[in-house]
Amino acid sequence: MRAPSDRAVVAPALSAVLAASLLGLFVLPLVALFAYVGWGGFLFAVGDAGFWTSIEFTLLASGIAVGLGLLTGVPLGYLLARYRFRGREVVESIVLVPVVIPHLVVGVALLLLFSPTSPVGAFAQSLGIPVINAIWGVVLVMLYVGASYVVLSSQLAFRAVDPETVDAARSLGATPGEAFATVTLVASARGIATGALLMWARGVSEIGAFLIVAYAILPSPPWFGPVTPPASVYIWNLYNSSAGLLPAASASCLLVLVALAIFLGVRLLDRSGLSTPRGGWLS
Amino acid sequence: MSGLSLRGVELARAGFHLGPIDLDVPPGTATVLLGPSGAGKTTLLRATAGFLAVRRGTIELDGRPLETEPPERRGFGFVPPSLGLFPHRTVERNVRFALEISGAPDAAARARRWIEHFALGSLARRYPSELSSGERQRVAMARALAAEPKALLWDEPLNALDVESREALLGVLTDVLEEERIPLLLVTHDPTTALALATRLVVLERGRIRFRGRPEELAAGRLDRFTARFLGYENLASREELAGCGDPARAADLLSRAGPGGLLLPPEAISWAPGAGSATVRSIRWTASGWSVTVQWGSLTVRAESGSPPGRLRAGDRVGLSIDLEKVKPLDASEGVGA
């Protein structure tokens, strides 16, 4: 029979091996990508003004999408975490649909709903909000494919807040709004921020739905730049061009670095003590 | 009148009916609500704090009616069973919370006073997750008092504390009541805490008051079976069990002293003598207070205590029992005196 001390050594060692194999799967393709591109290819991509325009556009659209995702997803997460109501299970299932639905289907569905000939599309157009091949189409796609992460993360975060902390805050003089803002929201900030980061990452990496509703973005407020595709579509276009794989691989390297820089920046901000215990809001 | 006053308070939720409850908690005193789970203690406390609406009755604090006031305007220092410490705030910022919310200009200084009062100075920059149970209790107390409440409402305050911390906190609570001259309404299911702290004791069962009085009245007055069992008294013999005890001659004696709910036979009132007798030993155990011998005496099972070892006594041996009739107490069938 194995002694407990043996188990204490074997279990972490086995975990480390399994974890390392997954990390290897994450990292090795990127290593292959960077090795293929090389320094020359990398510099070529850095000098590609069209790529930077698509990055600038993607960051703007994803920023707006995450803002709207937080504005709508956090209240939904709160309702699901704190209230029991008829149809709650149905709502929870609907929240999961965008996670499993093929994103080409999302593109087709949004195209049908928002094409200028449809009632909804015509209405949006009349309000001066073009959707197809416009920034709002990209924002809608990002919201559709990513907001579920905000809802699910904030639902879990709100559920983890002890309701008695809210009671204590109320008896200490806080109105319901103050108790929510100073206790519930702050204590959940880490989970909500994690959801926002996942949503952002999901939106930036989207391509299928963009190919259908947002292949080339025409200037319309709040995007005042030149015509550009989102960054992922830009890379797709390079891949399909006659220039071969290298330009697409080079631009992909840059996109990976931009994403890594943003993740690292958020982590550093978190560590600097923006909020919550130990000065951080990301788990 | 000053202090906390409840008159005819009733509420119903999910098939449970509480009340009517009348209670007065004068300043500087502690009224302890005691009872088993589901008795309605926490429901009554939460209704008083404003988290549950009462169906009937009045709640007044220093003569001010509170039934329609939201929790934040009632003036209570409410401490829930989990203590409700804010995990994202340090000890100092927890204590300062009420002062920040009210916009008190000297929030830091006032919070400091309570932090020092509860000897939390060295822990001020720690988070609740970094504290022991006793330290967290002190933070909860400091935070509630920093808000300068007109009364304290406390739900299971000494949960999960070791004996030493419990004793220390009981002392602190007593001092606070004395110094601040505010009323305390406290909920517990633990008779030891209740008896140690209570100026007045209220025992609840299924939403109704079963006993109300000073702790010492428990010793002096008559008890009903429910209250006696809940307070941890042993050897509660019903009249039927007394009638069927192993010695018909003594059954009459015992029955003559019994109340409608039977008789309380304190273990220290019972002694045994080895040899031929009408009782059979069921078990022998060593406890912190001495030797404990459980015997079967006809239809009656009783536990007796002795400071001296039981010698060669074994389970199954026959023993003779003697009962000091001066120490037995009659039991009421339902409500006790003082209610």
Side-chain angles (χ1 to χ4, degrees):
Chain A
M1 196 174 125
R2 200 181 288 280
S5 56
D6 290 344
R7 214 177 304 151
V9 174
V10 171
L14 186 63
S15 301
V17 169
L18 293 172
S21 58
L22 183 61
L23 283 175
L25 183 67
F26 289 163
V27 172
L28 286 177
L30 296 180
V31 171
L33 187 69
F34 279 83
Y36 174 74
V37 168
W39 189 240
F42 186 72
L43 287 181
F44 173 79
V46 169
D48 182 356
F51 176 71
W52 288 113
T53 302
S54 74
I55 286 282
E56 191 186 333
F57 167 78
T58 303
L59 291 181
L60 174 67
S62 59
I64 295 170
V66 169
L68 291 174
L70 288 170
L71 194 68
T72 53
V74 171
L76 181 52
Y78 183 77
L79 289 175
L80 291 172
R82 281 283 189 261
Y83 294 93
R84 299 279 170 272
F85 53 87
R86 193 177 294 221
R88 187 168 167 274
E89 291 75 13
V90 176
V91 175
E92 282 182 321
S93 304
I94 290 172
V95 168
L96 285 173
V97 166
V99 179
V100 294
I101 195 168
H103 290 173
L104 276 170
V105 178
V106 174
V108 172
L110 288 176
L111 179 67
L112 291 172
L113 185 65
F114 286 102
S115 88
T117 55
S118 76
V120 177
F123 179 68
Q125 198 83 36
S126 73
L127 294 177
I129 307 172
V131 173
I132 305 303
N133 285 331
I135 186 169
W136 293 110
V138 175
V139 169
L140 271 177
V141 167
M142 288 178 166
L143 205 53
Y144 194 95
V145 302
S148 299
Y149 296 102
V150 172
V151 177
L152 295 171
S153 296
S154 50
Q155 183 185 356
L156 284 176
F158 285 132
R159 210 174 267 170
V161 176
D162 177 2
E164 290 184 348
T165 57
V166 181
D167 290 347
R170 294 286 308 278
S171 77
L172 290 167
T175 61
E178 287 170 333
F180 179 77
T182 57
V183 176
T184 309
L185 201 56
V186 181
S188 313
R190 182 175 290 208
I192 294 170
T194 302
L197 203 59
L198 286 172
M199 179 185 171
W200 178 83
R202 184 66 201 82
V204 168
S205 64
E206 175 56 32
I207 183 163
F210 290 162
L211 289 173
I212 294 172
V213 299
Y215 185 77
I217 307 303
L218 305 172
S220 68
W223 172 247
F224 300 104
V227 176
T228 181
S232 56
V233 177
Y234 188 90
I235 293 170
W236 171 253
N237 288 340
L238 287 176
Y239 178 70
N240 284 320
S241 72
S242 56
L245 185 59
L246 187 61
S250 306
S252 301
C253 284
L254 264 188
L255 185 61
V256 168
L257 289 179
V258 169
L260 265 178
I262 288 175
F263 284 147
L264 270 175
V266 171
R267 293 270 168 197
L268 290 176
L269 249 153
D270 179 45
R271 196 187 286 181
S272 71
L274 217 61
S275 77
T276 67
R278 309 306 204 150
W281 33 265
L282 294 180
S283 47
Chain B
M1 67 162 277
S2 60
L4 174 63
S5 169
L6 277 63
R7 287 282 168 273
V9 168
E10 284 184 63
L11 64 98
R13 57 196 294 253
F16 176 77
H17 187 270
L18 176 79
I21 302 287
D22 292 316
L23 271 183
D24 285 308
V25 191
T29 68
T31 292
V32 177
L33 296 173
L34 184 67
S37 296
K41 314 178 296 290
T42 293
T43 301
L44 181 58
L45 200 76
R46 289 182 64 80
T48 307
F51 296 112
L52 297 172
V54 299
R55 182 194 269 183
R56 256 185 230 106
T58 60
I59 301 169
E60 289 186 1
L61 186 56
D62 295 338
R64 186 169 69 97
L66 298 178
E67 306 88 68
T68 56
E69 294 281 359
E72 62 269 25
R73 286 207 223 117
R74 293 202 174 195
F76 289 121
F78 171 70
V79 183
S82 73
L83 303 177
L85 295 182
F86 309 131
H88 55 287
R89 286 177 161 245
T90 59
V91 166
E92 185 182 4
R93 294 195 62 226
N94 259 281
V95 176
R96 221 166 56 189
F97 181 84
L99 303 164
E100 284 176 7
I101 287 287
S102 67
D106 52 348
R110 282 162 65 185
R112 203 77 219 159
R113 178 197 155 204
W114 287 106
I115 285 170
E116 298 305 331
H117 186 95
F118 286 98
L120 294 166
S122 60
L123 309 173
R125 299 178 73 83
R126 290 205 194 163
Y127 289 91
S129 60
E130 300 169 321
L131 305 177
S132 70
S133 300
E135 288 164 348
R136 281 201 288 271
Q137 300 275 3
R138 274 152 51 204
V139 176
M141 216 183 291
R143 186 180 67 174
L145 288 163
E148 298 185 347
K150 294 189 167 54
L152 280 175
L153 303 177
W154 206 311
D155 199 347
E156 300 284 4
L158 307 175
N159 262 354
L161 286 189
D162 56 58
V163 175
E164 202 175 321
S165 306
R166 177 188 296 250
E167 288 301 315
L169 267 172
L170 281 172
V172 173
L173 258 178
T174 311
D175 291 347
V176 163
L177 291 183
E178 189 106 339
E179 289 162 17
E180 301 299 315
R181 301 296 302 161
I182 55 176
L184 165 65
L185 182 59
L186 184 143
V187 158
T188 185
H189 68 274
D190 172 25
T192 313
T193 302
L195 293 170
L197 193 64
T199 314
R200 287 179 73 79
L201 197 62
V202 173
V203 180
L204 286 177
E205 188 206 12
R206 282 179 283 185
R208 304 290 300 271
I209 292 179
R210 296 296 302 263
F211 175 86
R212 184 210 315 260
R214 293 190 301 278
E216 56 270 28
E217 286 177 338
L218 285 175
R222 285 171 65 146
L223 291 170
D224 64 90
R225 286 182 67 83
F226 167 81
T227 306
R229 185 177 296 117
F230 184 71
L231 289 172
Y233 286 105
E234 296 176 89
N235 298 344
L236 308 177
S238 68
R239 294 186 68 87
E240 292 72 29
E241 286 169 330
L242 291 170
C245 79
D247 186 341
R250 269 194 293 167
D253 260 357
L254 293 169
L255 279 168
S256 69
R257 290 169 185 266
L263 200 60
L264 167 64
L265 304 161
E268 64 273 16
I270 304 170
S271 54
W272 72 83
S278 52
T280 308
V281 175
R282 288 180 61 174
S283 65
I284 306 162
R285 278 185 299 126
W286 167 252
T287 69
S289 55
W291 288 98
S292 165
V293 178
T294 303
V295 297
Q296 190 69 45
W297 193 35
S299 58
L300 197 58
T301 306
V302 290
R303 192 175 73 81
E305 274 177 6
S306 168
S308 52
R312 275 181 282 176
L313 205 59
R314 297 279 179 278
D317 287 355
R318 304 287 290 178
V319 289
L321 283 187
S322 61
I323 296 171
D324 183 348
L325 293 176
E326 295 305 311
K327 291 182 178 171
V328 301
K329 277 186 182 184
L331 291 170
D332 286 329
S334 55
E335 260 95 359
V337 291

